[in-house]
Amino acid sequence: MEIGLVGLGKMGGNMRERLRRGGHTVVGYDRDPDLADVGSLEELVEALPSPRVVWVMVPAGGPTHDTITALGDLLGGGDLVVDGGNSRWTDDQAHAEQLGAKGIGFVDCGVSGGVWGLENGYALMYGGSPDDVAKVQPAFDTLKPESDFGSVHAGKVGAGHFSKMVHNGIEYAVMQSYAEGWELLEKVDMVENVTEVFRSWREGTVIRSWLLDLLVAALDEDPNLGSIRGYADDSGEGRWTVEAGIENAVATPAITAALYARFVSRQDDSPAMKAIAAMRNQFGGHATHTAPPPGGDVNPD
């Protein structure tokens, strides 16, 4: 298929490459001209045949809203916009209504896979009408992992991002458990090789996972995580998960505690948060906060 892709950063750029490897024609636009195939959204739309499909991969909130609004003025009836960023599901419903008034379809898609998605494929959770999903299904099939799993039509508009939100909330809690366990093992004087203990858990245990693999990789690079500041950001989706739990009277104590632990990390240099920051960097390329060099300023990234 022919598809437009707006936003060619760490994920968007790799998604463009994976789609092209799968035989699709991708016209990419980014504010960075060194990354873009065309110079503007107008040129992107003009380069696509009707019905046009444009996938948006820009930061959630204002940038996504502004891009979708601009596309709404450029696209026409029968065209389709896919929001593959980390938007809040309530924004999806507003965007679907906004575009629907002009006859333009809308699909929201939660995307997981980080910097590893190019080779491993991306887990996709999408919401929208069956007819709209069908227009972009060839792209979904190419982007997903090469197994029977990793892709789901979760429901109506908003269902994709709601599912991805809960996924990220679970991710918070799992990473927090690994991190606390790592800190405890490091604290006692009887365990002589903490990294090897974690490595041994990668096979034959019920807690084996890709996150565990990534933590081991981080420990191989920096056994005591001494180069990483114990400060972990939150993307916002953990907060949204907790809020959704409150709104629906569903208790989420583990996810809530993991979110609050990240808040605490911004006050103290927490050893456990070093492990959280290391795992986030391993799976998503998220920046770590480093200590300031002698006589220099701290790296704010």
Side-chain angles (χ1 to χ4, degrees), residues 31-109:
R31 291 184 300 174
D32 183 346
D34 292 335
L35 301 176
D37 302 314
V38 292
S40 65
L41 287 178
E42 290 82 359
E43 290 181 31
L44 180 145
V45 170
E46 290 172 1
L48 295 172
S50 296
R52 302 173 181 88
V53 176
V54 181
W55 188 308
V56 177
M57 285 296 293
V58 301
T64 293
H65 178 72
D66 291 346
T67 302
I68 289 176
T69 297
L71 287 171
D73 293 334
L74 296 171
L75 298 172
D79 293 340
L80 176 72
V81 172
V82 181
D83 178 6
N86 282 329
S87 296
R88 193 166 186 168
W89 62 279
T90 49
D91 290 345
D92 296 326
Q93 296 173 331
H95 290 147
E97 183 176 348
Q98 174 187 354
L99 294 174
K102 300 181 178 183
I104 303 168
F106 179 83
V107 170
D108 63 289
C109 184

Side-chain angles (χ1 to χ4, degrees), residues 199-216:
R199 196 188 315 280
S200 74
W201 292 346
R202 294 176 63 188
E203 296 289 345
T205 74
V206 296
I207 64 168
R208 62 188 183 273
S209 73
W210 188 36
L211 281 174
L212 178 61
D213 295 342
L214 295 175
L215 178 55
V216 171

Side-chain angles (χ1 to χ4, degrees), residues 1 18-25 142:
M1 67 177 294
R18 187 172 175 90
L19 286 167
R20 286 176 172 171
R21 290 181 186 180
H24 302 287
T25 298
T142 297

